Amino acid sequence: MLIYLLLRILSIIPMLLVASFIIFALLRLNGTDPVVQYLINSNLPQTPELVESLRHQFGLDKPVIQQYILWLQHAITLDFGNSFISGRNVSQDFIYFLPNTLLLVGFAFMLTLCISIPLGIFSAKYKDKLPDFLIRIVCFIGVCVPNFWLALMLIIVFSLYLGWLPALGLDDAKSFILPCISIALMSSCINTRLIRTNMLEIKKERHILYAKLRGLPTRNITFKHIFYNASLPIITAFGMHIGELIGGALLIENIFAIPGIGLYSLQGIANHDYPIIQCFVVVLCLIFIICNLLVDILLLVLDPRLRHQIISPRSSYG
């Protein structure tokens, strides 16, 4: 199993290389010119001499492959270059903004767990009854509501009309409440439906019938037998939703003016600031890959069948 984990960790390197090269090439082949955007922001004339000088200064006059190799040599040392617009070091800016985004996504993930697990269990327990019907209606609406629209509605109701919660900035713990709800609602509704479906499938298994015939308490059957077995595919889904939550933070941070990598990267995208965009994609891919690796490790710990399959792969073929 250690060899399996080592191979999974080493696989991070080629995945990051492929992702970084793709975004690097797409940025330079999409027809936009960051030099023109820089001149517009700086109120400078777009003379051919000035454009050519800036392209040489930014290293955009070299072939794409050579640009990528030079960028990769610095990226290996965690130096993602300087912003074309502000001239600040991108790595230092990301280190400064990243904790706020991780806090926001972490709170949103905990909120997703706290909402989806109880509702999913409750909905499965009262299948086709009024509680189940109401939960399914709420989940259907929650999946259809865009997070940016929900964020605006929450600001109007709880900040402007009621004045209970702050609308902008990141002053205290209250500042996280509305952004976390905006990010977590869709994931909570999706996971609630997934938990309900998996638990209803596990209920049909024979070992659940045997547990009932043995007279085990309903609570033990629900949590130790049904929910435990249903949680294995759910854990995989939760790992995938972490990337979705980070992607949701890209817009939500902009709406709530939260100083995180989402707001920082969105400004870089608007300005065609290549170093910021490249750093954001690499960091996002790294977080997503690490989260999936942790999910796989957790599944190995919880499911002995997976451990046995890794240790003795031929046994699965008889």
Side-chain angles (χ1 to χ4, degrees):
M1 189 169 68
L2 292 176
I3 297 177
Y4 169 78
L5 294 177
L6 181 61
L7 292 175
R8 285 297 310 273
I9 293 174
L10 292 177
S11 67
I12 295 176
I13 298 175
M15 285 189 286
L16 287 178
L17 287 175
V18 171
S20 63
F21 180 76
I22 290 175
I23 189 62
F24 197 94
L26 289 177
L27 285 174
R28 284 151 180 79
L29 298 176
N30 65 357
T32 60
D33 192 344
V35 172
V36 175
Q37 187 65 39
Y38 174 82
L39 293 174
I40 293 175
N41 293 342
S42 303
N43 293 322
L44 295 175
Q46 299 180 26
T47 61
E49 295 80 8
L50 186 56
V51 170
E52 188 64 27
S53 175
L54 289 174
R55 288 184 62 82
H56 178 73
Q57 178 183 337
F58 295 157
L60 299 175
D61 56 342
K62 300 180 177 65
V64 175
I65 298 297
Q66 186 177 353
Q67 292 183 44
Y68 178 73
I69 294 174
L70 292 174
W71 174 84
L72 186 61
Q73 290 174 349
H74 291 88
I76 292 174
T77 62
L78 301 182
D79 180 11
F80 292 94
N82 297 329
S83 168
F84 289 166
I85 303 300
S86 66
R88 294 175 52 85
N89 186 270
V90 174
S91 300
Q92 294 179 358
D93 285 345
F94 261 76
I95 293 174
Y96 177 79
F97 291 119
L98 185 59
N100 292 334
T101 299
L102 293 180
L103 279 175
L104 177 61
V105 173
F107 288 147
F109 182 69
M110 294 303 298
L111 182 61
T112 301
L113 293 177
C114 294
I115 293 176
S116 60
I117 292 178
L119 288 182
I121 296 174
F122 196 72
S123 180
K125 182 178 180 180
Y126 296 97
K127 179 180 178 293
D128 295 333
K129 297 182 181 179
L130 181 61
D132 178 37
F133 177 76
L134 294 177
I135 291 174
R136 289 162 62 187
I137 290 296
V138 172
C139 290
F140 177 79
I141 296 174
V143 171
C144 299
V145 173
N147 56 6
F148 61 87
W149 182 87
L150 176 63
L152 294 175
M153 294 301 102
L154 291 176
I155 290 175
I156 293 174
V157 174
F158 292 100
S159 298
L160 298 182
Y161 286 157
L162 300 178
W164 291 353
L165 297 170
L168 303 174
L170 197 60
D171 299 326
D172 50 26
K174 291 182 178 180
S175 302
F176 284 102
I177 295 177
L178 296 184
C180 286
I181 295 175
S182 303
I183 298 175
L185 179 65
M186 182 178 294
S187 295
S188 300
C189 294
I190 294 175
N191 288 321
T192 297
R193 298 171 64 179
L194 180 62
I195 292 172
R196 175 188 181 275
T197 301
N198 288 341
M199 290 189 65
L200 291 177
E201 288 295 325
I202 297 296
K203 273 186 177 182
K204 301 176 183 178
E205 299 291 336
R206 288 185 177 181
H207 67 277
I208 302 300
L209 176 60
Y210 296 154
K212 293 179 180 179
L213 293 176
R214 289 166 54 194
L216 295 180
T218 304
R219 183 181 182 87
N220 289 350
I221 295 176
T222 300
F223 289 97
K224 292 185 178 181
H225 296 274
I226 299 177
F227 179 72
Y228 179 81
N229 288 280
S231 64
L232 298 179
I234 296 170
I235 291 174
T236 303
F238 275 123
M240 298 293 291
H241 279 296
I242 293 178
E244 179 185 334
L245 295 175
I246 297 176
L250 185 68
L251 289 176
I252 298 303
E253 286 183 357
N254 186 51
I255 294 175
F256 289 95
I258 295 177
I261 62 171
L263 178 59
Y264 179 68
S265 301
L266 200 61
Q267 293 173 347
I269 293 172
N271 294 325
H272 309 294
D273 204 334
Y274 290 174
I276 294 178
I277 301 173
Q278 290 158 189
C279 183
F280 174 73
V281 171
V282 171
V283 171
L284 188 64
C285 289
L286 182 60
I287 293 175
F288 189 79
I289 293 171
I290 291 176
C291 289
N292 280 273
L293 177 61
L294 294 177
V295 166
D296 289 344
I297 294 174
L298 182 59
L299 289 175
L300 288 175
V301 173
L302 296 176
D303 194 346
R305 296 171 298 179
L306 293 177
R307 295 198 300 271
H308 180 71
Q309 185 177 1
I310 291 174
I311 296 173
S312 304
R314 294 183 180 178
S315 62
S316 61
Y317 299 97

